[in-house]
Amino acid sequence: VRAFTHLTEARAATSHGLPEVLLLDLPPASDGAAEFDARLHRGINALNRPVLVIADHDDFASRARAVRIGANDFFPKPLEISRLINRMAQLITQRHAPKMRVLIIEDDLTLAEHYRLALLSGGIDANILHNPHELISQLAAFNPDLVLMDLYMPDLSGPELAGIIRQHERWTSLPVVYLSAETDLDGQIEALRHGADDFITKPIADASLIALVRARIERGRQIDALVTRDSLTGLLRHATIKEAIHAEIKRAVRTRHPVSVAIIDIDHFK
């Protein structure tokens, strides 16, 4: 941890290496606050690092300022240190997280390949499922962060496949996004009732597809971390440890890298 009392000092220090996280004590608003906040926003964008804001008051105006400068989270004083540390750890984990993975289910193989290449160009790993009947085995093998599927397919419809996914407890929270030319709002709403999370209308620009998929996965990972990890220690909850080990073993097999599991018993931990 390195502390600075002036922005100029902090800016000069970044020439020797960027930090993992910026922790900013936001000064009270003044006559020049708008210009100050604009400069902060430009500087934060240039650094491309997560920012946590500390503020004296927990009010709407202070939280709005934090959002305006591009902060990832807001912490009023007095600080909840455990929450602050866990949020830092979460942001660092997200930054160094494994590649995002998307499973594409689309009967038009040319279009599916186009989506795959577009996502790959955005740094997102993508697989195409040609046979919907292999859905569950593909989910287990690829362990995607999101399923992108067409709404209408010859053998099974998107809602039917979404329903099959939701029958498995392991995949109940897996984001499912329909990608279809369906423009009828009632049809879209009806499709979403069957276990899907979002609806993207074709055609869609590659950049928009990448941005939407990335945002949905990032949000999903954040929610998953809140559900599966203890709020005080940041460690996995008991119910998710076996699932995490199973996923890591699958990843080790897929990437051909070794994996180890250490079980540590800490006496009188509480």
Side-chain angles (χ1 to χ4, degrees):
V1 178
R2 298 188 65 188
F4 302 94
T5 55
H6 299 284
L7 284 174
T8 50
E9 295 175 1
R11 191 178 298 113
T14 60
S15 62
H16 303 293
L18 293 176
E20 291 277 7
V21 178
L22 295 169
L23 189 60
L24 175 67
D25 193 346
L26 195 64
S30 61
D31 292 339
E35 182 182 344
F36 177 81
D37 291 352
R39 285 193 291 116
L40 270 181
H41 179 68
R42 290 193 296 271
I44 288 169
N45 276 348
L47 288 176
N48 189 29
R49 289 295 188 272
V51 174
L52 303 178
V53 159
I54 299 171
D56 291 326
H57 303 289
D58 187 5
D59 53 35
F60 186 85
S62 298
R63 288 180 176 271
R65 282 186 70 197
V67 171
R68 203 171 291 127
I69 66 173
N72 296 80
D73 212 331
F74 179 92
F75 293 84
K77 299 176 184 177
L79 292 175
E80 293 182 42
I81 297 300
S82 61
R83 178 173 168 257
L84 177 67
I85 292 172
N86 283 342
R87 186 65 174 121
M88 282 185 178
Q90 186 184 75
L91 289 167
I92 292 170
T93 299
Q94 287 175 359
R95 182 168 182 79
H96 299 285
K99 254 187 171 184
M100 295 178 176
R101 299 176 303 279
V102 175
L103 183 64
I104 302 168
I105 307 174
E106 165 70 62
D107 61 307
D108 186 333
L109 297 184
T110 301
L111 193 56
E113 182 63 16
H114 175 84
Y115 294 146
R116 190 184 74 85
L117 293 175
L119 293 171
L120 286 174
S121 72
I124 301 170
D125 199 4
N127 274 4
I128 300 171
L129 177 62
H130 300 292
N131 183 2
H133 295 277
E134 298 176 356
L135 173 62
I136 301 305
S137 61
Q138 278 292 304
L139 289 177
F142 186 50
N143 194 27
D145 295 293
L146 181 143
V147 174
L148 191 66
M149 68 167 73
D150 195 2
L151 186 59
Y152 302 114
M153 288 173 285
D155 297 329
L156 290 164
S157 68
E160 288 173 333
L161 285 177
I164 292 171
I165 292 173
R166 299 303 184 219
Q167 289 172 359
H168 293 74
E169 185 177 354
R170 183 181 174 186
W171 310 114
T172 52
S173 61
L174 176 65
V176 174
V177 177
Y178 293 133
L179 190 58
S180 174
E182 176 64 70
T183 56
D184 178 62
L185 182 58
D186 291 336
Q188 292 181 2
I189 293 172
E190 181 62 26
L192 288 173
R193 287 180 61 247
H194 296 272
D197 300 277
D198 210 343
F199 199 106
I200 299 174
T201 304
K202 299 177 185 177
I204 182 171
D206 292 349
S208 297
L209 177 63
I210 293 167
L212 287 167
V213 166
R214 185 176 293 278
R216 172 63 70 174
I217 291 176
E218 285 177 351
R219 184 62 176 161
R221 284 182 172 182
Q222 184 178 350
I223 292 171
D224 185 63
L226 291 172
V227 171
T228 59
R229 294 184 180 273
D230 178 75
S231 60
L232 178 62
T233 63
L235 300 176
L236 286 173
R237 297 184 190 276
H238 181 75
T240 53
I241 290 174
K242 289 183 179 179
E243 185 178 331
I245 292 173
H246 179 77
E248 289 304 321
I249 291 172
K250 289 282 188 181
R251 190 204 312 276
V253 171
R254 189 169 64 250
T255 60
R256 297 182 180 179
H257 286 147
V259 62
S260 300
V261 177
I263 300 174
I264 305 171
D265 183 16
I266 306 176
D267 289 336
H268 311 298
F269 177 68
K270 292 182 180 180

